[in-house]
Amino acid sequence: MWEGNIFNTAVTTACAAGCGILLGIFASNMHKKYVMKSIPSNDKISEEAVFSDFVQGDLKLVLVVQNGLKMGKGKIAAQCAHASVAAYQNCSIKNPSLLKEWLKSGQRKVVLKVDSEEALMEIAATARRAGLNFNLVCDAGRTQIPSGSRTVLAVGPDLEQNIDKVTGHLKLL
């Protein structure tokens, strides 16, 4: 009986190691297939440069956090991620050429704050009137805040001067 447990442990460990190796190979291949495809092979550019904070451009995405909800840092990060993905999806449909330029310019993002839902909704209304891409995130209410709470507004991506007309008066989070 003791020998069976050692054998089972050895087999389980070997299987887990094998799965880990295969998963690593798969992830590496997917990375090369999808991420590295966007980097021309003849350019002398590092993979890190694609996501560099040093890349500057005239395009940006602004995330406006409803700070009156007193969300934790992790909650804010998750809500900003939801808003960023929604903005990306929306822009890919409405203005794919603008999205492509934003991606090439380093995907600049700025996180600002407002103190109330009313202020957040006013920014959304102003963005709509300005013809800007915008997305409002409403929380499901499973963790820190009530269901339906409006947490983050994404404005853009778009030209910096267009977005600044709507959000330029707000403070950084």
Side-chain angles (χ1 to χ4, degrees):
M1 184 172 224
W2 177 254
E3 291 174 17
N5 286 339
I6 292 172
F7 178 74
N8 286 342
T9 302
V11 170
T12 302
T13 302
C15 287
C19 288
I21 291 168
L22 289 174
L23 184 59
I25 292 169
F26 176 76
S28 176
N29 286 338
M30 296 310 286
H31 175 75
K32 288 176 187 170
K33 183 176 181 181
Y34 293 105
V35 175
M36 298 302 288
K37 184 184 269 188
S38 64
I39 301 172
S41 59
N42 59 351
D43 286 353
K44 303 242 190 241
I45 184 170
S46 69
E47 180 179 347
E48 291 81 16
V50 174
F51 302 103
S52 171
D53 284 340
F54 297 109
V55 178
Q56 294 295 316
D58 294 332
L59 300 170
K60 70 179 177 180
L61 171 67
V62 168
L63 303 168
V64 183
V65 175
Q66 208 275 78
N67 208 33
L69 292 169
K70 305 296 183 203
M71 296 178 282
K73 293 175 188 174
K75 183 68 169 179
I76 290 172
Q79 297 300 296
C80 285
H82 289 316
S84 295
V85 170
Y88 177 95
Q89 290 175 318
N90 194 1
C91 195
S92 73
I93 294 166
K94 292 185 176 181
N95 197 338
S97 61
L98 176 71
L99 178 65
K100 186 175 181 180
E101 288 303 311
W102 178 67
L103 292 171
K104 285 183 358 185
S105 70
Q107 312 103 47
R108 187 162 57 126
K109 292 166 264 337
V110 178
V111 183
L112 307 173
K113 65 181 177 179
V114 293
D115 290 326
S116 68
E117 184 175 313
E118 294 77 25
L120 189 72
M121 297 311 293
E122 181 56 36
I123 299 295
T126 304
R128 173 177 283 149
R129 286 191 299 272
L132 294 171
N133 181 40
F134 70 97
N135 297 86
L136 184 63
V137 176
C138 297
D139 192 64
R142 294 188 189 111
T143 57
Q144 297 178 7
I145 56 177
S147 177
S149 296
R150 294 169 173 142
T151 58
V152 177
L153 173 70
V155 181
D158 208 306
L159 292 171
E160 182 173 11
Q161 66 259 21
N162 294 342
I163 293 178
D164 285 349
K165 290 175 186 174
V166 175
T167 63
H169 64 286
L170 301 176
K171 293 183 179 181
L172 292 171
L173 176 65

